[in-house]
Amino acid sequence: MKVETSWPRVGRRSRNWFAALVCGWLAVSAGGRANAELEEAHVRPFLERHCAACHAGDEAAAGLDLQRLDWKLDDRESFQRWVKVFDRVSLGQMPPKDAPQPPVGESEAWTRALRGSLLVAERRRLGAGPRTGLRRLTRAEYENTIRDLFDMPGIALQGELPADGSAHGFDKNSEALDVSHVNLAKYLESADRILDMAIATRPVAPAVKTQRISLANPPGFVAHVLLHGDGVLLKNKKPDPEFPPAGEQMHLDQGAHERMGSFHNGASVGLFRHEDEAFHPYFNEFVTIYPGRYRIKTSLWSFQWDRGQVLPSRGVEAARLSIVQLTGDGRGGGHPSTVLAYFDAPSMNEQVHELTTWLNPRETIGFNAASLVSGHTRGKQRAMGYVGPGIACDWLDVEGPLHETWPPTSHRVLFGDLPLREFKPEEHPGVRPPHHVPARQQMFMGKNTPDREEGVWTVLSEQPLEDADRLLASFLPRLFRRPVGVEVRRQYAALVERGLESGECFETAMRRAYRAALCAPDFLYRVEAAGERAGEVDDDALAARLSYFLWNSGPDETLRIKAASGELRNGKALRGEAERLLRDPKSQRFVVDFLGQWLRLRQIAANDPDKKLYPEFSPYLQDSMAAETQAYFRELLERDLDARHLVRSDFAMLNERLAVHYGIPGVSGSQIRRVAVPAGSARGPFLTQAALLKITANGTTTSPVPRGAFVMARLLGQPPEPPPPNVPAVEPDVRGATTIREQLQKHRELAVCASCHSRIDPPGFALEAFDVIGGLRTRYRSIGVGDPAPRGAIDPMIAISFRLGPPVDSSGELPSGEKFGDVLELQRLLAADARPLLRNVAQQLTIYSTGRDVAFSDREMLEQVLSATERQGGGLRTLLLELIDSRLFRMH
Amino acid sequence: MTRSMEGGKDWRRRWATVVSLCLWSASGLSGRADAQDDAAANRAPASEVVYQVTGLFNAARERDLKEVFSRISEVRLVRVDVAQAEATLALDAAQAFPGAKPEQVIERIDQLVRGASRYTFGIKARRELPLDKLQRIEIAVVGLDCRACELAVYEMVYRLPGVEMATASFPERRLVVYVRPGESDRASIEKLLRERGVELLMPPGP
């Protein structure tokens, strides 16, 4: 076949144009090579003069041999290395302070030239195409989008989907979001689950029932421990005379007690231990049958137990309610999937707490006497020998399912106002009825039962094809986040028609189309079309970008309307929408998701601290740590506080448990609130928050290296180079023969290690003042050797076996030569210049919100955002709004 | 309360036969289908029958038993004899258990009582042997002053082979087991109790 056969169709004019293009390309290419040589000739001499002494040969510092660094700016890897060289010189980090410095102006001229070359090369590489690639929805985005679209705010989907990858620190990048056959299979399953839950199959809403449950409910594991004395039954704030506390003798035979009604006699349950691997208190006489919203109420108080006497407690204790998805037949318990809340249990005064939450089938409510210690009280005297705090739960009420309308919103999204009718086969000859699985109690321990259901109820349509087209015209744009053309809609309508022709009823035929749409690329991928403004996304994509940024979900109707009207092109309107989204509780998803990745908060539970070294650690403390970081970020946003607060603050976001952990007095209760930090305390900012200190430790020991690297990368925006291959990690010497500081000193004597470690280690040294759970320390804890440890703020109910080892030295010296004696002084040094901190937050927000890395050529726009922010005080809320209103955010 | 046990076994058998026949007759199950309506129209007055009650292990349980029967409409509790662990019930079997055969009546009553008491009481035929013909084994036990614990220790022993009746009271530190002579013994009962976690108060050694 001759190539020429296609030419006539192109036409003579086009052929000429093509020839010109080829010639031009050749000319540019040749010119490009000449330019490159010219550029290299300008760049290399500076490096030879000022850098080659260290960065040449096999022993080059930091493993960077500049003589072997190719001038191949079109190559991505080579380009990135040149950017790093540029950064180090332009920031004044190179040549080092103790080396001969270039004459005044030479560095500036050199970086200016290099910057020009880098910009040209990058723009050439990036071309005119879209910067943000086609992105699949992340698991969280997928789940949130469905939750919001169908008003099913608790449907659990992401746990069934494969984990997302991560690129440039976030899972929102197209480079990280691949698709496999597993994804596709799971999307199909999810689509069915969504439709099963969304479609109403009965003429009236399930009856609203209120069920009162005792924590002692026999299937809930508590009854068993009551027999043995880890808890007691209480009436009128005294031991229940019908169920005396276990003492030298324990109660016999749980079954006999169940049959005698010991656990259903209206008594309150007092517990002496928190949840652990062997003890999971559940209220599983209620197990959800109908998905929906439920109102949960519980009555809690605390007391001091003294060998049979109920006395006022030491203060406000805290209990946790969580949603538990029961697995298997439920006997083995389940997964505490969602923490609902921590609640206060005041001394001797019951407090009723209430919340409304979505529950899925097979879910129940879990309880944890969170502020109490773990383990059990069973000595010879059991409860009658125990003296210590207890938390009492009088009852828990579950009321629901609560439906404001019927059919529910989820159903109306799919079927509008079409009526639900009983399907009578004789009235529909040749039509197959819909397949509905009757609601049933799936767990034997659940005492709540389904309503009686009669007949098959379904959506009926007199004009199925017209209705299908109308429903799809409403649904598809909402699902696909943009207007949907007639042609596309017809494809889905054709599926409905095919279903009807094959004898399916209207509901089943519509399900075909909805299922296909829920698995369509238009939904699963964020398609960002080019807008009218050159290089920017269109209005619908901008609305979606904003919504997925601040809600981690698709745009709501208000946002879609504003996109459709073109209003979002107005910066003021866009900012207004951003403000509205931030005010909405759904913006907490942004806080959680962004911090989960930027500050690696998702990894807070990645390791369990050693129980002998850190016996005071508990899940309550861990949850409080994460809550502190999230509340602090929220506070920075709401009060528009500046970026210095990343490293230094005069307030902290604390509850009682954290305040005790930090040694800050005067905080009572489980709720996180703003607390002024006493003078001389380093607490408050991200830098010294227990969550980040735990994330950067391994559960047993700390090392300045990972902590220092974390500070450099996540807070200062200067990620260190990865360690060279074949260099073993520096591990703390658990024998105590050498300190980590001594080990690192030896490490830094190697030239290949010194340059990076001189930057990484100093913040890590300062953070040595904090142990693996973020507690302040002046000496390392050890097992076996050392001095006896004072109890300090550790709960008196907790046994201590660790000892105190060598003293902590938290002093150091920054690469700039500035020295610090402790973490407070480091904070002062880091906070002196807010711009790098602000720049880092801006970079992180940009990557998170746009789904791409910040390119070298983006820097100018980023600096404009920073300058605009600083002119208004440098607050983080201002930064976020300036970013949203910038070309950087709108860029295609 | 004590009763004369002279000739008690034969007397009881005769009495039970008479009552059963009455009940059977009254139930309208004599083979005539059309007699059912007649029987309903001419319903016999409720008969009183004495049964052994399981779960009636001490005097405090009498109140529980009365409460249980207050929830049962088919049968009326006439009187309770805690010492014998027996109850006199009044019932019209044909009305209470239509269609039940005579030998099924006691099962039906037992089911009702069990259901209403969450399986803490039960009904069975009277003992064949009077108490004074049974071996009385008293065991000193220690436990919590808890009705459910007493039920637990009672249930540990009363289903053992040879056991006809038992009482349990932790405040009195006493478990009394009545066994048919030669069919069980103290040692085996004590062994079982220990295995089940019951603390025994042993008499001081010699």
Side-chain angles (χ1 to χ4, degrees), chain A residues 68-303:
Chain A
R68 289 188 200 165
L69 180 57
D70 293 332
W71 183 255
K72 290 180 179 171
L73 298 187
D74 290 336
D75 175 70
R76 203 165 172 173
E77 195 175 332
S78 175
F79 180 87
Q80 291 300 338
R81 295 192 77 83
W82 279 107
V83 169
K84 280 181 181 158
V85 172
F86 170 85
D87 286 342
R88 302 298 294 275
V89 176
S90 61
L91 289 170
Q93 294 171 350
M94 285 289 159
K97 297 291 178 202
D98 54 356
Q101 299 296 305
V104 175
E106 188 182 355
S107 287
E108 290 75 13
W110 182 83
T111 51
R112 209 164 34 244
L114 179 56
R115 178 173 175 275
S117 300
L118 291 170
L119 281 175
V120 169
E122 187 173 71
R123 284 173 184 152
R124 189 168 57 232
R125 179 166 57 82
L126 295 175
R131 286 281 311 284
T132 300
L134 194 64
R135 277 183 287 167
R136 172 175 61 74
L137 294 178
T138 67
R139 295 195 300 173
E141 288 173 340
Y142 174 87
E143 183 178 79
N144 289 332
T145 306
I146 294 296
R147 287 179 171 188
D148 294 347
L149 177 61
F150 289 96
D151 189 33
M152 300 193 297
I155 184 173
L157 298 169
Q158 64 170 308
E160 301 297 321
L161 297 173
D164 298 319
S166 176
H168 308 291
F170 295 97
D171 61 10
K172 292 197 172 223
N173 196 295
S174 59
E175 294 171 33
L177 295 167
D178 53 357
V179 172
S180 70
H181 68 282
V182 180
N183 288 77
L184 294 175
K186 293 294 179 184
Y187 286 136
L188 284 166
E189 285 177 20
S190 290
D192 285 333
R193 286 181 61 199
I194 293 162
L195 295 172
D196 286 345
M197 203 177 277
I199 296 173
T201 59
R202 42 185 298 136
V204 294
V208 177
K209 294 174 185 167
T210 302
Q211 186 176 346
R212 175 156 291 194
I213 310 158
S214 165
L215 184 56
N217 70 123
F221 299 93
V222 173
H224 179 72
V225 306
L226 291 172
L227 302 180
H228 297 83
D230 281 352
V232 289
L233 289 181
L234 303 168
K235 276 188 175 169
N236 301 317
K237 299 195 166 58
K238 290 178 182 170
D240 178 0
E242 295 174 20
F243 189 89
E248 200 163 331
Q249 286 82 39
M250 63 180 186
H251 288 270
L252 302 167
D253 190 350
Q254 182 175 335
H257 287 77
E258 289 176 20
R259 286 180 285 123
M260 289 293 279
S262 302
F263 307 124
H264 288 95
N265 65 357
S268 307
V269 176
L271 279 181
F272 303 138
R273 61 186 285 197
H274 73 52
E275 184 185 40
D276 57 34
E277 297 85 355
F279 177 51
H280 301 284
Y282 297 148
F283 293 96
N284 51 3
E285 280 189 351
F286 170 85
V287 182
T288 311
I289 298 170
Y290 297 106
R293 290 179 174 85
Y294 288 80
R295 187 173 295 117
I296 312 285
K297 281 189 199 174
T298 190
S299 174
L300 304 172
W301 51 283
S302 59
F303 59 98

Side-chain angles (χ1 to χ4, degrees), chain A residues 559-576:
Chain A
L559 200 47
R560 280 188 284 112
I561 289 171
K562 293 202 172 182
S565 67
E567 211 176 322
L568 294 183
R569 287 173 226 166
N570 178 318
K572 197 174 170 187
L574 188 62
R575 282 168 177 258

